[in-house]
Amino acid sequence: MTSYERSDVPGTAYDAVVLAGGAARRLGGADKPGLRVGGRALLDRVLAACADARRTVVVAEPRPTPRPVLWAREDPPGGGPLAALGAGLRHTTADHVVVLSADLPFLEAQTVWRLLAALRAGSADAVLLTDADGRDQPLVAAYRAPALGRALAALSTEHDGLTGLPLRRLTAGLDLTRVPDPVASFDCDTWDDIATARARIREHGHVLDEWISAAKDELGIDLDVDTGLLLDLARDAAHGVARPAAPLTTFLVGYAAGLAGGGPQAVAEAARKAAALALRWADEAADAKSDAAPDATPEPRPDAG
């Protein structure tokens, strides 16, 4: 983990504002934040990426979420992204605010940390991502809260409110740093976008991480473990013992780690012990085969009694 991949050190606290109340007209009015990609709602995926925010404000009608958030709403509802941003910003207190839309299927915590690190390292008012076509994405960005507040206040005064104003009015008045990232900036505006996102996470290089993340969310588990270690264990158990031993052994490892208090170290220690056992088992089987004569047949079992 690099030095910028932390938000729990002095001076690095931030708040997050997530805009989740759009009309989704290009999706036929569907509940876009609730649409699932990889088994998880789009909103839940975005909330996972900013889970270490000191305070998270979601601008939308309240709904069940995997972690507590503060709900806000622009007045009147449906007033557009700038009105929603203004409503959310009023509930923040940190000097740095990450602003996100609720339709970013590939956003990860590392991207949020990278935006914040660039903001702290420079003098710009905001650091935002650009998409595959080089377009600014002001709803995947980190802002200096005072500068953002002043810009919104000026626009509100000039236009007698923020309702209906486009986002470009905001970015035009700020000093920006841009970070290209066509993956993290990918948003889902159409059903084709949803289909693309669902297909991508099932590609070989992504499917395992996506499945583990979805399973942890579903089970309410917040635990980072060495998946390579567990996969090696499952392989050793399957090859050295029997194929059904792989899922049963990994279950037993999880159970043992829970009894030991949980946490990555408990999982690693239980996995180490089970892997060593599986290797010893395989070695014994190999020794038994090499010790037997090529034409040897098992001794008949003696009759009992």
Side-chain angles (χ1 to χ4, degrees), residues 189-200:
D189 289 328
T190 68
W191 288 112
D192 284 345
D193 294 337
I194 294 290
T196 297
R198 288 172 173 171
R200 184 181 186 275

Side-chain angles (χ1 to χ4, degrees), residues 19-43:
L19 307 189
R25 292 182 179 87
R26 297 171 68 186
L27 286 166
D31 175 25
K32 180 162 66 168
L35 293 177
R36 295 185 178 273
V37 172
R40 292 189 291 164
L42 285 171
L43 174 59

Side-chain angles (χ1 to χ4, degrees), residues 204-218:
H204 178 72
H206 308 284
V207 66
L208 183 59
D209 288 341
E210 288 288 346
W211 167 250
I212 290 173
S213 296
K216 289 196 296 185
D217 278 359
E218 191 70 17

Side-chain angles (χ1 to χ4, degrees), residues 85-104:
L85 177 54
L89 188 65
R90 285 195 290 270
H91 297 280
T92 66
T93 58
D95 289 336
H96 300 134
V97 177
V98 171
V99 177
L100 306 167
S101 61
D103 61 351
L104 302 166

Side-chain angles (χ1 to χ4, degrees), residues 14 42 47-48 51 75 77 85 87 105 114 126 131 150 189 216-217 242:
Y14 73 96
L42 285 171
L47 291 178
D75 185 20
L85 177 54
R114 183 157 51 105
D131 64 15
R150 287 193 298 269
D189 289 328
K216 289 196 296 185
D217 278 359

Side-chain angles (χ1 to χ4, degrees), residues 7-177:
S7 61
D8 57 348
V9 297
T12 63
Y14 73 96
D15 290 339
V17 176
V18 181
L19 307 189
R25 292 182 179 87
R26 297 171 68 186
L27 286 166
D31 175 25
K32 180 162 66 168
L35 293 177
R36 295 185 178 273
V37 172
R40 292 189 291 164
L42 285 171
L43 174 59
D44 294 351
R45 299 175 73 92
V46 172
L47 291 178
C50 60
D52 59 345
R54 187 177 64 184
R55 172 179 293 180
T56 300
V57 183
V58 180
V59 186
E61 291 298 321
R63 67 173 69 216
T65 53
R67 65 179 178 88
V69 299
L70 182 64
W71 297 94
R73 200 69 168 113
E74 71 273 25
D75 185 20
L82 279 189
L85 177 54
L89 188 65
R90 285 195 290 270
H91 297 280
T92 66
T93 58
D95 289 336
H96 300 134
V97 177
V98 171
V99 177
L100 306 167
S101 61
D103 61 351
L104 302 166
F106 306 130
L107 183 69
E108 296 182 346
Q110 289 87 345
T111 303
V112 172
W113 297 329
R114 183 157 51 105
L115 289 169
L116 288 165
L119 184 67
R120 294 175 187 125
S123 59
D125 296 325
V127 178
L128 52 77
L129 295 190
T130 56
D131 64 15
D133 296 321
R135 292 173 298 197
D136 289 348
Q137 298 297 312
L139 298 185
V140 201
Y143 294 84
R144 298 188 193 277
L148 179 58
R150 287 193 298 269
L152 290 173
L155 286 171
S156 181
T157 299
E158 181 182 354
H159 298 279
D160 194 22
L162 298 172
T163 299
L165 294 182
L167 280 167
R168 64 177 178 274
R169 293 289 182 89
L170 172 67
T171 54
L174 294 174
D175 177 20
L176 302 176
T177 293

